[in-house]
Amino acid sequence: MVRSYQRKTDRSNLSEDIIEKAVKDVILNNKSIREAAKHYNLTKSMLHKRVNIAKSQCKELNSERNAEEIDVKTTKVIGRNKYRCHQVFADEEEQLLSEYFLMSSKIHYGLTFLQARALAFQYAEKLGKAMPSSWNVNECAGIDWMQSFMKRHPRLSLRKPENTSLSRATSFNKKNVGEFFDNLYAVMEKFKFKPERILNFDETGITTVLQSPKVIAQTGKKQVGQAVSGERGELVSFCGIISATGNSIPPVFIFPRVKYKDYFLCDAPTGSLGLATKSGWMTKELFPTVLQHIKEHTRSDIDNPILLLIDNHKSHISIEAITYAKENGIVLLSFPPHCSHRLQPLDVAVYGAFKGACRVSFNDWLLNHPGKTVSIYNIPSLAAKAYYKSFTPTNILSGFKKTGIFPLNRLAFGEDDFFCSYITDHEYPGCNTTETEDCTVINEDLQENELQDEDHTEPLQPTTPESVRPYPKAVFKKKKNL
């Protein structure tokens, strides 16, 4: 089979509306097939075939059926034209398959190429479609059919997904985001913060070994190597602080050392703060020092407070940190758990560019110092180059705007953004046992009334891929009465 055949003519691109008009002219107005074909610019043989199919179908369905009810699109299913003689699904059914694949991807449960082929076979089997014998043998659609299907639906493509933890996928839902914006609105209404008084703080890790950037190499070579400092690197925590005006406060570096030395911050961004812990991560003992660093650059006090947006890590919510924030006019507002990847400006628009610039900076240093390795004491100077390139007003303002924090916009996230939490969303999460029983009784009464009503008929729902393979849904666990 020619998989990349380019059609030489456009004879198959016929408008079904025009064909329908021509068939009705022949049947209703007694116009000859020759005249109708010439008038609508169609071939006589094709129009003659369609007219015969329409007439035969009307006789089979109802001999007294009005000719005005002829649906050429329906007759096309019985008598396909020669360009679609081997098509398994109708256009509407293929569209349902395409929408199912897209929806599965949006809820982070996308189908692989083989799973999609198996679903196509099961869907065709349930619809009673005529299919190639190889489909029944392998119990899945053929590779050629699947590739052609994706060509007919250019919105589909085979992508490598990014691993997303179940906590992140399910925690970013309307309820959590709505509660965050309720708190943000309340704080903004109470203190009337200006954009220069709205700040975001977050940590990220920088190791001495980073993924190398893309390099030029030989075409067709399967493996391309690039020198790095070691198999595994040593971590230094980098703490960024930005404001809603597009400015930033000098960052904080936390080194994996017991005691901090001044030479650790050699060539770091001007005004940076250096700290040390045994692990290299933020602790509840160090966070008050970071708050003091922020207070010195913002001159916050009880009469002129600032709003500091942070995640709800345990090191940020210690009693010492909260007490210091209250006494020095720092209003702390935390993001919902596992939602910082969508709600935090630093994660949304700044840290991605910062990490990319760090990879380039580290690779340049290795090229200029062959045979040497990057140590934790080189990180501040290398991170400084990436800091000045990525912590720009454009990136910072974009992060605050995209998350809806400033300008304040509760509608920053649409319905598509919450599809990832579909598997744990329930219509009645607060429904107790008594309410469920009442609902069941009401539904039973309604069903009895419907059965008694002889004239009541419901339209049949079309068979969809979801009826063959339902979308994944978590089982709702009822709370036990203690």
Side-chain angles (χ1 to χ4, degrees), residues 206 238 253 267-269 354 358 361-362 378-391:
I206 305 176
F238 174 90
F253 292 88
D267 295 331
F354 176 71
C358 279
S361 179
F362 277 51
N378 300 122
I379 288 181
S381 60
L382 297 177
K385 300 177 182 178
Y387 175 80
Y388 294 128
K389 290 182 179 179
S390 58
F391 278 69

Tab-separated table of all heavy atoms in Angstrom, residues 206 238 253 267-269 354 358 361-362 378-391:
chain	number	residue	atom	x	y	z
A	206	ILE	N	19.885	23.670	42.239
A	206	ILE	CA	20.897	23.713	41.182
A	206	ILE	C	21.997	22.741	41.574
A	206	ILE	O	22.606	22.875	42.641
A	206	ILE	CB	21.492	25.130	41.009
A	206	ILE	CG1	20.390	26.154	40.759
A	206	ILE	CG2	22.492	25.146	39.866
A	206	ILE	CD1	20.909	27.576	40.689
A	238	PHE	N	18.586	27.458	45.385
A	238	PHE	CA	18.491	28.835	44.900
A	238	PHE	C	17.089	29.340	45.206
A	238	PHE	O	16.100	28.695	44.841
A	238	PHE	CB	18.773	28.883	43.400
A	238	PHE	CG	18.564	30.234	42.773
A	238	PHE	CD1	19.601	31.148	42.699
A	238	PHE	CD2	17.326	30.591	42.243
A	238	PHE	CE1	19.411	32.388	42.108
A	238	PHE	CE2	17.126	31.821	41.659
A	238	PHE	CZ	18.180	32.734	41.595
A	253	PHE	N	21.152	31.881	48.384
A	253	PHE	CA	21.812	30.614	48.105
A	253	PHE	C	21.981	29.848	49.411
A	253	PHE	O	22.466	30.401	50.412
A	253	PHE	CB	23.181	30.832	47.454
A	253	PHE	CG	23.129	31.386	46.066
A	253	PHE	CD1	23.106	32.769	45.858
A	253	PHE	CD2	23.098	30.559	44.965
A	253	PHE	CE1	23.058	33.292	44.578
A	253	PHE	CE2	23.054	31.077	43.676
A	253	PHE	CZ	23.034	32.447	43.483
A	267	ASP	N	31.283	36.229	43.163
A	267	ASP	CA	30.681	36.657	41.884
A	267	ASP	C	29.183	36.339	41.797
A	267	ASP	O	28.628	36.177	40.704
A	267	ASP	CB	31.393	36.003	40.689
A	267	ASP	CG	32.839	36.459	40.569
A	267	ASP	OD1	33.123	37.597	40.979
A	267	ASP	OD2	33.669	35.657	40.098
A	268	ALA	N	28.515	36.257	42.934
A	268	ALA	CA	27.065	36.056	42.940
A	268	ALA	C	26.367	37.367	42.600
A	268	ALA	O	26.997	38.440	42.622
A	268	ALA	CB	26.605	35.549	44.304
A	269	PRO	N	25.071	37.354	42.265
A	269	PRO	CA	24.352	38.615	42.016
A	269	PRO	C	24.468	39.560	43.202
A	269	PRO	O	24.473	39.134	44.365
A	269	PRO	CB	22.907	38.147	41.811
A	269	PRO	CG	23.026	36.750	41.319
A	269	PRO	CD	24.220	36.179	41.998
A	354	PHE	N	15.268	30.107	33.549
A	354	PHE	CA	16.463	30.135	34.400
A	354	PHE	C	17.244	28.824	34.302
A	354	PHE	O	18.476	28.830	34.161
A	354	PHE	CB	16.041	30.401	35.845
A	354	PHE	CG	17.162	30.349	36.837
A	354	PHE	CD1	18.124	31.348	36.883
A	354	PHE	CD2	17.264	29.295	37.734
A	354	PHE	CE1	19.158	31.300	37.795
A	354	PHE	CE2	18.289	29.236	38.654
A	354	PHE	CZ	19.243	30.243	38.693
A	358	CYS	N	20.985	28.202	32.827
A	358	CYS	CA	22.006	27.552	33.673
A	358	CYS	C	22.705	26.438	32.906
A	358	CYS	O	23.934	26.280	33.016
A	358	CYS	CB	21.370	26.997	34.936
A	358	CYS	SG	21.093	28.204	36.236
A	361	SER	N	25.200	28.058	30.642
A	361	SER	CA	26.293	28.649	31.405
A	361	SER	C	27.257	27.579	31.916
A	361	SER	O	28.484	27.745	31.846
A	361	SER	CB	25.727	29.451	32.573
A	361	SER	OG	26.760	30.013	33.354
A	362	PHE	N	26.727	26.467	32.411
A	362	PHE	CA	27.579	25.384	32.899
A	362	PHE	C	28.378	24.765	31.757
A	362	PHE	O	29.560	24.447	31.918
A	362	PHE	CB	26.725	24.311	33.587
A	362	PHE	CG	26.380	24.613	35.018
A	362	PHE	CD1	25.838	25.841	35.366
A	362	PHE	CD2	26.591	23.693	36.012
A	362	PHE	CE1	25.506	26.145	36.674
A	362	PHE	CE2	26.268	23.969	37.327
A	362	PHE	CZ	25.730	25.198	37.658
A	378	ASN	N	31.393	27.301	42.446
A	378	ASN	CA	31.248	27.925	41.114
A	378	ASN	C	29.795	28.237	40.779
A	378	ASN	O	29.522	29.010	39.861
A	378	ASN	CB	31.811	27.004	40.030
A	378	ASN	CG	33.268	26.676	40.208
A	378	ASN	OD1	33.660	25.522	40.311
A	378	ASN	ND2	34.112	27.709	40.256
A	379	ILE	N	28.874	27.636	41.504
A	379	ILE	CA	27.460	27.789	41.177
A	379	ILE	C	26.983	29.238	41.272
A	379	ILE	O	26.269	29.717	40.376
A	379	ILE	CB	26.607	26.845	42.049
A	379	ILE	CG1	26.802	25.402	41.580
A	379	ILE	CG2	25.131	27.221	41.997
A	379	ILE	CD1	25.995	24.382	42.346
A	380	PRO	N	27.313	30.030	42.320
A	380	PRO	CA	26.817	31.415	42.366
A	380	PRO	C	27.224	32.255	41.159
A	380	PRO	O	26.401	33.006	40.612
A	380	PRO	CB	27.426	31.960	43.663
A	380	PRO	CG	27.605	30.759	44.518
A	380	PRO	CD	27.991	29.663	43.586
A	381	SER	N	28.474	32.123	40.712
A	381	SER	CA	28.913	32.921	39.559
A	381	SER	C	28.248	32.455	38.270
A	381	SER	O	27.887	33.275	37.413
A	381	SER	CB	30.438	32.843	39.420
A	381	SER	OG	30.865	31.499	39.221
A	382	LEU	N	28.069	31.138	38.111
A	382	LEU	CA	27.405	30.628	36.909
A	382	LEU	C	25.907	30.921	36.938
A	382	LEU	O	25.310	31.224	35.899
A	382	LEU	CB	27.644	29.115	36.792
A	382	LEU	CG	29.104	28.681	36.629
A	382	LEU	CD1	29.211	27.164	36.608
A	382	LEU	CD2	29.706	29.267	35.360
A	383	ALA	N	25.309	30.833	38.127
A	383	ALA	CA	23.890	31.141	38.238
A	383	ALA	C	23.613	32.623	38.034
A	383	ALA	O	22.505	32.996	37.619
A	383	ALA	CB	23.367	30.687	39.600
A	384	ALA	N	24.599	33.475	38.318
A	384	ALA	CA	24.412	34.915	38.138
A	384	ALA	C	24.156	35.253	36.675
A	384	ALA	O	23.305	36.100	36.356
A	384	ALA	CB	25.625	35.665	38.653
A	385	LYS	N	24.896	34.593	35.765
A	385	LYS	CA	24.691	34.851	34.337
A	385	LYS	C	23.274	34.448	33.919
A	385	LYS	O	22.613	35.165	33.158
A	385	LYS	CB	25.729	34.081	33.523
A	385	LYS	CG	27.176	34.467	33.840
A	385	LYS	CD	28.152	33.605	33.050
A	385	LYS	CE	29.594	33.947	33.400
A	385	LYS	NZ	30.565	33.093	32.669
A	386	ALA	N	22.827	33.292	34.408
A	386	ALA	CA	21.469	32.844	34.082
A	386	ALA	C	20.426	33.723	34.760
A	386	ALA	O	19.353	33.964	34.207
A	386	ALA	CB	21.293	31.388	34.507
A	387	TYR	N	20.746	34.226	35.944
A	387	TYR	CA	19.806	35.062	36.696
A	387	TYR	C	19.499	36.346	35.936
A	387	TYR	O	18.325	36.754	35.804
A	387	TYR	CB	20.408	35.374	38.064
A	387	TYR	CG	19.615	36.331	38.912
A	387	TYR	CD1	18.511	35.907	39.629
A	387	TYR	CD2	19.973	37.677	38.996
A	387	TYR	CE1	17.776	36.782	40.419
A	387	TYR	CE2	19.252	38.565	39.774
A	387	TYR	CZ	18.155	38.114	40.482
A	387	TYR	OH	17.438	38.995	41.251
A	388	TYR	N	20.511	36.999	35.424
A	388	TYR	CA	20.307	38.267	34.707
A	388	TYR	C	19.589	38.067	33.373
A	388	TYR	O	18.919	38.977	32.882
A	388	TYR	CB	21.642	38.956	34.468
A	388	TYR	CG	22.322	39.417	35.740
A	388	TYR	CD1	23.641	39.069	36.018
A	388	TYR	CD2	21.633	40.189	36.668
A	388	TYR	CE1	24.266	39.486	37.186
A	388	TYR	CE2	22.245	40.614	37.840
A	388	TYR	CZ	23.558	40.254	38.101
A	388	TYR	OH	24.163	40.663	39.269
A	389	LYS	N	19.701	36.867	32.786
A	389	LYS	CA	19.045	36.607	31.503
A	389	LYS	C	17.580	36.195	31.661
A	389	LYS	O	16.773	36.437	30.763
A	389	LYS	CB	19.791	35.502	30.746
A	389	LYS	CG	21.146	35.924	30.230
A	389	LYS	CD	21.800	34.786	29.453
A	389	LYS	CE	23.169	35.196	28.904
A	389	LYS	NZ	23.810	34.081	28.163
A	390	SER	N	17.260	35.564	32.773
A	390	SER	CA	15.915	34.991	32.930
A	390	SER	C	14.999	35.809	33.839
A	390	SER	O	13.789	35.844	33.610
A	390	SER	CB	16.015	33.558	33.465
A	390	SER	OG	16.713	33.536	34.692
A	391	PHE	N	15.539	36.455	34.862
A	391	PHE	CA	14.711	37.248	35.773
A	391	PHE	C	14.484	38.637	35.182
A	391	PHE	O	14.881	39.654	35.748
A	391	PHE	CB	15.372	37.333	37.153
A	391	PHE	CG	15.129	36.135	38.021
A	391	PHE	CD1	15.709	34.909	37.711
A	391	PHE	CD2	14.324	36.208	39.143
A	391	PHE	CE1	15.498	33.791	38.501
A	391	PHE	CE2	14.097	35.101	39.947
A	391	PHE	CZ	14.687	33.883	39.621
